Amino acid sequence: MKNVLRKVSRISERIEEFIVCFSIVLIMLNSTANAMGRYFFGKSIFFSEELNQFLIVSVTFIGFAYAVRKGRNIRMTAVYDSLGHRSRKVITTAISITTAMLLFYLAYKAFFYVQELKDINRLSPALEFPVYIIYSIIPIGLAMAGLQYLISFVMNLLHREIHLSHDVIEGATTGLGDSI
Amino acid sequence: ETWKFASEEDKNDVQDIFAQKFAEVVKKESGGDIKVRIYYYGQLGTENDIVELTSKGTVQFVSVGTGHLGSYVPEVQAISLPYLLGTNEPVVREVLTSSKTIYGDLAGKFEKVNLKLLTMFSEGEEVWGANKPIRSPEDFANHKIRTFTSTIPVETYRTFGATPTPLSWGEVYGSLQLKTIDGMVNPIYFIYNAKWHEVQTHLMYPGQQVYVGTVSSNSKWFKSLSAEKQAIVMKAVKEAEKAAYDYNLSINKENMAKIMKDRPNMQVVVLTEAERARFKELSTKLHATYFDIVENAYKDGEKAAARKGAEAIISGLEQEVKAAAAKLAK
Amino acid sequence: MSGLMQFFSDIIAGDPDVYVITFTLIAVMVVLLFLSFPMVVPLAVGALIGMIHFSDVDTGVVIQQMVTGISPNALIAVPMFILAADIMTRGHTSQNLLGLIEAFVGHMRGGLPITTCLACTLFGSVSGSTQATVVSVGQIMRPKLLKAGYKDSFVMALIINASDIAFLIPPSIGLILYGTLANASVGELFIAGIGPGIVLALLFSAYCYIYSVRQGDLVAVVEKTTMAQKLQALKKALWPLGFPVLIVGGIYSGIVTPTEAASFSVLYAIVVECVIYRELGLRDVLDSALSTGLITAVVFVLVGIGQAFSWYISFEQIPQALLEPLDLSSASPEYLLFIIAVTFFVGCMFVDSLVVLLILTPIFMPAVAAVGLDPILVGVMITLQMAVGSATPPFGCDIFTAIAIFNRPYLEVIRGTLPFILILTLMTALLIYFPGIALLLRDLAFK
Ligand code: NA
Ligand code: NA
């Protein structure tokens, strides 16, 4: 069972990495192609801005879930840093469960927002593409981020160390530098 | 109680004059019981956002350029087709306020997204800005013109021979100044407010179309109002439409005078009937584009009927424009 | 005492009084912030409490506004400059650029921080994005400054604050937006912003010099280089120098918009590092893209949720209600300008500066006209406060960007900010009493 979970976690991490990388590279190619087309060939990519907006939505929400997984989030730790291990552990545990709940709530609201966009059949102005398909990534990203906090809550209950996420333990270094 | 009215434009733009008059009449007619709170450009988000907020009932009234409604009501883009309604202000007004096509066929489509179409009004003729005179499709060759990121405007200028370049408006001033793009299109009052006349040398009147603002309310909410309150809304809409019409005429004239004062060397080109005829002929190709857009928005089984409906809207509007012109010529 | 009891029972009851709402939201957000919740939580909870408890708004709007917050096309420049800077620091480009700077100013007291300050000013003016400047210049200069012995808190505060000069020097989206809202000439605003921008860069440079002298023993100064060494450094930096040339040239020749220039800088960085230096491969570029995506997401989620919070403030028209008691139309010009500065300063502390501009400008414009203040001067003053606000805690885009990119704790990033805020306050005072700083150039060009 534990191995299955680990496997699911690895696969979802790979998918997140792929989406984030792919979107960033595509933004670069899209913008440069648009400028070159306009300058050299007198042809603009009429959907260039719209495509970038879609890509930035996927970078933001999928990247957010990925950042939580990596324990990377912006916090104000002035008070926290001055506390002892026990208090920090209590605070971190409480924060992970409340943040998880908040993100699940937002994912739930996002799901209904996407549903509404589907019902009114909102189409993007340039590509005339159903917007809800792109925005489906929002509830997914928020729910994945919420799940990461839920997992770190469980890890904090089961283990002595302070878990900022499943993989990231406070004080330990990771490939991406110190967690903050 | 307080009703909320969101507009896509700034304070003292045409849509805001509508909103102010609307608020004034509602307050007076309700004996001060009902206040209307007005939100301006960007305060509640983008044009799409305020349309959705109205559809959901978070705000009760919304005023946006008709083109922005195309994402929700594809049929409404008929209003954005060039050389369909024309630029004769009294004629356009007659059609926009009393058209059976608009308040019958189109209004029905609004209901599908829980909006009640209240009125439409002109905000002035769309004028081309450039750094050279443009009188023919040939003059548009290699001319990068900024448009909205939307199919009808993009295809319009492609059909006219230009290079349509969608750009968010914050980038337009700098891009015109540095010649990243060559021109743009907007009503005069807006060109002056955005200061784009500072970075263009020519303004062209092609007789192509006016910018149309559309006011809607949340449909379910409107239906839930008492008969008296519904009557107050309709009375306020009527008076506000009049105020917006008068203001449209005066502000475009005033701001043109201000542009000429700021830049006495500004070249103003009014295309002749013959010159307009060439663009007008090209513009009929866009009707098919419009039908395609509408069709694309429907499921497989509904496509044929949707296309038929779109064709009826165009022919309906064409007839009504002719009728209005004939009526007003008397 | 009973007044206090009443106040708290109003809070519990959700009385939609503007003072009750303001107090509650600020209190809740500050408490959550100090409990070290991820920053997204205080902002989200603030917005949700307002919408649910005080206003009965469907909270789906939070999601809608998050998307709106991250949608402006100009924001695309942020991930692109992050990526370009990341590729250049992984490869040889940034080292070679630094070698050049060290060769020319390394022996001078304060040479490195002053160079950083000027680089931020120039890069910021051209790119038009303060966040992109924090990333690009910061990523390259910070390691060098740290190695030379400067304190990290000073270094980060310098980078953040110097980057914000970008607001004042054209092209500036803040000035363009103000021009439209206030019906003021964008051309005049652009010219008027330059003077204060330069004065600010000079004041910051002066502070850098004083700081370096006072830290004398701790800060290393390298030996003066010979002419030959200078030329050698210049030769090595030739390809990297193409980077600013590409951006400045591309934008001012009108080939690309500032947003597109950001994407071209990525392409250029890839060509230089992968093709010319052969220092990096595809794998490195993809690694860069991933870390770029992560940093972008961390910052943009806050931009998005910040927009949702601002939406609520705007929906309830809280600023309007708070300002109503002040009778502005009979104020003296200096007093009105002062009030405008303070209001924008406070607003930008909590809410994204462009949003503050959209909400507050229409409120002040009638008073500005009544008092007879020059709208150009007002525009420059407001833009200055927006610049201050982006670097001022608790909510500041550039602070978030610095935290994400340098991977340092919040408190350390803002620890060195105070002297810069004082300089910016001094600048505000200067602008009130010597409006010529802004208007002189304008008058020369337009009158
Ligand atoms: Na700038
Ligand atoms: Na701030």
Side-chain angles (χ1 to χ4, degrees), chain C residues 345-351 386 388-397 399:
Chain C
F345 176 80
V346 174
C348 292
M349 274 175 71
F350 295 100
V351 176
M386 289 166 66
V388 187
S390 306
T392 314
F395 186 90
C397 263
I399 297 175

Side-chain angles (χ1 to χ4, degrees), chain A residues 34 38-39 41-47 49-50 113 116-117 119-129, chain B residues 48 52 55-56 71-72 113 144 149-151 154 158 163-168 171 180-181 292-293 296-297:
Chain A
N34 185 36
R38 187 184 60 231
Y39 188 75
F41 308 110
K43 278 200 168 51
S44 292
I45 303 176
F46 70 97
F47 56 81
E49 276 194 16
E50 199 170 286
Y113 179 61
E116 277 167 22
L117 292 178
D119 290 344
I120 62 174
N121 191 26
R122 175 172 153 197
L123 301 178
S124 69
L127 290 165
E128 293 161 42
F129 188 76
Chain B
N48 280 334
E52 285 172 17
S55 161
K56 286 173 73 164
S71 298
Y72 308 91
V113 286
K144 294 189 270 292
T149 311
S150 180
T151 312
V154 166
R158 204 197 302 283
T163 304
T165 309
L167 211 58
S168 47
E171 291 190 307
T180 314
I181 53 172
D292 292 344
I293 292 175
N296 173 54

Side-chain angles (χ1 to χ4, degrees), chain C residues 121-130 163 165-173 175 252:
Chain C
T121 310
L122 288 178
F123 189 90
S125 342
V126 176
S127 74
S129 164
T130 59
S163 297
I165 299 174
F167 269 107
L168 286 163
I169 302 183
S172 152
I173 182 73
L175 287 171
Y252 284 114

Side-chain angles (χ1 to χ4, degrees), chain A residues 10-24:
Chain A
R10 286 307 294 168
I11 292 171
S12 61
E13 183 175 349
R14 286 282 166 267
I15 295 174
E16 286 167 14
E17 286 175 351
F18 173 78
I19 293 177
V20 169
C21 265
F22 173 81
S23 305
I24 291 281

